[in-house]
Amino acid sequence: MDADGKLPSFLPSACPKKDTRSSTPLETFSNICLILINRQVAQPSGGSKMNVQAEPGMAALAAIKANYSLTPEQRQIVDHVDRVAREILHPLQEKMDAEEWWPEDLFRQMGELGLLGITAPEELGGSGQNEFTQALVSETISKWNPAVGLSHGAHDNLCLNNILRNGSDEQVRKYVPGLCSGELVGALGLTEPGAGSDALGSMATGAVRDGNDYVINGSKIYITNGPIADVILVYAKTDKAKGAKGISAFIVETDNPGFKVAQKLDKMGFRGSPTGELVFEDCRVPASAMIGAENSGVSVVMSGLDLERAMVASVCVGMAERALELALDYARIREQFGKPIASFQMVQAMLAEMYTEIEAARSLSLRTAAMCEGLEEGEGGRGEIHKLTAAAIFKAAAATSFVLDRAVQIHGGSGYMRDTEVNRLYRTGRVLEVGAGTQEVRKLIISGELLKN
């Protein structure tokens, strides 16, 4: 519970009294939807009493609630981020989408507002929070401006948190404070023109030792923040004969000779978040720029990918939540046949289905984020966390696609207009079933872990 004694919004405040009368699925959907429309939750009658044999113990109930409640500090953080995102980031959305525009000083502003370095210790300029709180921040930002949510995740999770978890003390001290303040912008370079789902096996970018340096040659594509990044965590093969086990991770400063942004890409969604193709032509970096030992980059990759999937699941939930809000508002004010379309059962059914999908995705997303806490170096890429993060993003992406489709349907013709917020969400949501591993790859990960002895 929060400081006011209230449960978080994703928990029902009470269970409705059981109704023994049989009801149709449409009536069930309508009942849920009417709760949403009226912004009320049905309360049980004072005389109702559950079957004693079916009633869980108070300790069990407390444990269930604890798994889904926020600490007072987490609630304060979410409230702060929600206010900032709603008042500052949301108004930027229309111009960012129309012009593929990124505000030049936005990362510095986010640093000043405390939105960066969520998992970094306070002595390095961060907030000292865990991955669960980072997921809450990601969800909240993405609700009000998905493009900022995406760039924030690439900076804070893929770059900063990876350096924090896997870098040497010297590397952490050198880069993390600037990434926390927003003076440095971070990115991660993994995907290549010929290496998408098979990112490790098909990786062509290579790094060759030359004295005290490594010389990197190759290219990366679809890199979020690539065109504006100061620091990029780059994966390259240092021993091609070893395949995926011959990959190393490097911190590349983008003012290094031999690095260039080949092009800024024009996207269907997440517009404004800068995405680019990066080229390395005899790009020389010092050996001290390597994270960990030579040929040990696969452990950094795999743990980073698991954390990325957990964070992107939160992006999905935030976007879906906003789509439901827009659909509810529109259903209340749009009138046809002399009454609001919210009064029609088929619209109510869509709203109820949307709500249910969001809450299911949110529950799995939060459980997964909690499981990511304390993930040891090299622990990702296998076992329960590998399976769970793939499941979380698989469910969240599918749920978001469903919710966005229904949101556009409820908006009718206006939802098809490019300048509406629900249309921006719809275009943006499509890549959630592709990026950070396709839905097909996610299913392979889940089934692969299930079938292990």
Side-chain angles (χ1 to χ4, degrees):
M1 292 188 179
D2 63 18
D4 298 322
K6 298 179 181 178
L7 293 172
S9 59
F10 49 84
L11 266 182
S13 60
C15 298
K17 183 179 178 180
K18 183 178 180 181
D19 188 352
T20 57
R21 176 182 60 85
S22 62
S23 59
T24 67
L26 187 57
E27 287 175 325
T28 302
F29 285 135
S30 297
N31 290 337
I32 297 173
C33 187
L34 287 172
I35 292 171
L36 291 172
I37 293 170
N38 295 325
R39 298 184 183 274
Q40 296 175 347
V41 178
Q43 300 292 328
S45 60
S48 64
K49 187 174 181 180
M50 296 179 66
N51 186 314
V52 174
Q53 292 180 339
E55 183 177 1
M58 292 303 295
L61 284 174
I64 293 169
K65 291 178 180 179
N67 284 335
Y68 292 97
S69 26
L70 306 184
T71 66
E73 184 179 16
Q74 287 170 334
R75 174 56 60 192
Q76 288 177 354
I77 291 172
V78 170
D79 289 345
H80 167 71
V81 175
D82 183 76
R83 183 174 62 254
V84 169
R86 185 177 64 254
E87 295 177 359
I88 298 175
L89 302 181
H90 186 250
L92 301 174
Q93 199 184 97
E94 185 173 355
K95 182 177 180 181
M96 290 176 69
D97 182 79
E99 303 176 13
E100 265 285 22
W101 167 72
W102 178 265
E104 185 176 352
D105 293 326
L106 188 53
F107 269 105
R108 279 193 176 89
Q109 292 177 30
M110 287 196 288
E112 292 170 0
L113 292 166
L115 302 184
L116 304 180
I118 303 299
T119 57
E122 293 183 23
E123 58 266 27
L124 293 175
S127 300
Q129 300 296 318
N130 53 30
E131 282 77 9
F132 185 88
T133 304
Q134 187 177 49
L136 295 173
V137 171
S138 180
E139 176 185 326
T140 306
I141 293 175
S142 300
K143 173 182 176 179
W144 294 109
N145 193 317
V148 175
L150 183 69
S151 280
H152 177 273
H155 172 97
D156 223 52
N157 181 253
L158 300 186
C159 183
L160 188 159
N161 196 45
N162 258 324
I163 293 174
L164 187 67
R165 285 169 47 81
N166 301 289
S168 66
D169 289 343
E170 181 183 354
Q171 290 167 338
V172 168
R173 288 194 302 270
K174 181 176 181 180
Y175 294 108
V176 169
L179 291 167
C180 287
S181 68
E183 293 179 15
L184 298 177
V185 176
L188 178 139
L190 175 62
T191 302
E192 298 182 6
S197 294
D198 185 23
L200 304 184
S202 298
M203 184 181 294
T205 298
V208 178
R209 184 74 182 249
D210 182 22
N212 293 325
D213 298 331
Y214 280 87
V215 180
I216 302 175
N217 282 281
S219 63
K220 303 291 180 179
I221 201 165
Y222 310 136
I223 306 305
T224 301
N225 294 346
I228 63 171
D230 302 293
V231 177
I232 304 177
L233 182 56
V234 176
Y235 296 101
K237 283 187 175 176
T238 42
D239 189 341
K240 294 188 177 182
K242 293 183 178 180
K245 294 183 178 180
I247 293 173
S248 299
F250 298 89
I251 302 173
V252 177
E253 298 177 9
T254 58
D255 58 359
N256 277 14
F259 170 86
K260 69 177 181 180
V261 178
Q263 60 175 323
K264 179 182 176 183
L265 300 171
D266 188 15
K267 306 185 301 297
M268 171 177 157
F270 283 114
R271 292 176 59 80
S273 172
T275 307
E277 179 182 5
L278 313 179
V279 174
F280 304 85
E281 295 179 343
D282 293 329
C283 181
R284 187 174 291 271
V285 298
S288 60
M290 179 181 286
I291 290 184
E294 186 175 85
N295 300 328
S296 67
V298 68
S299 64
V300 182
V301 173
M302 298 309 294
S303 64
L305 287 176
D306 283 341
L307 291 172
E308 178 187 11
R309 293 185 183 109
M311 292 306 116
V312 174
S314 299
V315 171
C316 293
V317 172
M319 289 175 56
E321 183 180 358
R322 180 58 180 162
L324 176 58
E325 288 183 356
L326 293 170
L328 281 166
D329 289 343
Y330 189 81
R332 290 190 186 100
I333 63 172
R334 174 64 171 172
E335 292 191 1
Q336 288 293 283
F337 305 101
K339 52 186 175 181
I341 64 172
S343 64
F344 301 128
Q345 282 193 331
M346 282 190 284
V347 173
Q348 293 173 4
M350 285 192 283
L351 292 169
E353 290 172 323
M354 293 162 70
Y355 169 80
T356 304
E357 288 293 322
I358 292 169
E359 293 307 307
R362 192 198 309 276
S363 295
L364 184 54
S365 171
L366 290 176
R367 180 195 166 198
T368 301
M371 289 287 289
C372 287
E373 293 181 28
L375 186 67
E376 296 294 332
E377 181 180 345
E379 188 177 338
R382 64 183 185 276
E384 183 65 19
I385 193 65
H386 196 44
K387 176 177 64 179
L388 192 58
T389 55
I393 191 172
F394 175 80
K395 175 59 183 176
T400 302
S401 292
F402 175 88
V403 168
L404 296 177
D405 179 79
R406 297 303 187 273
V408 170
Q409 188 70 20
I410 289 170
H411 278 77
S414 67
Y416 198 65
M417 297 300 103
R418 191 176 180 86
D419 62 346
T420 60
E421 185 174 358
V422 73
N423 185 276
R424 290 195 291 270
L425 286 169
Y426 183 79
R427 285 184 281 110
T428 295
R430 184 61 188 88
V431 78
L432 296 173
E433 296 197 58
V434 176
T438 64
Q439 290 290 74
E440 292 74 23
V441 167
R442 295 162 189 170
K443 285 189 279 189
L444 288 174
I445 292 171
I446 297 165
S447 60
E449 291 297 331
L450 288 171
L451 292 170
K452 283 183 178 178
N453 294 330

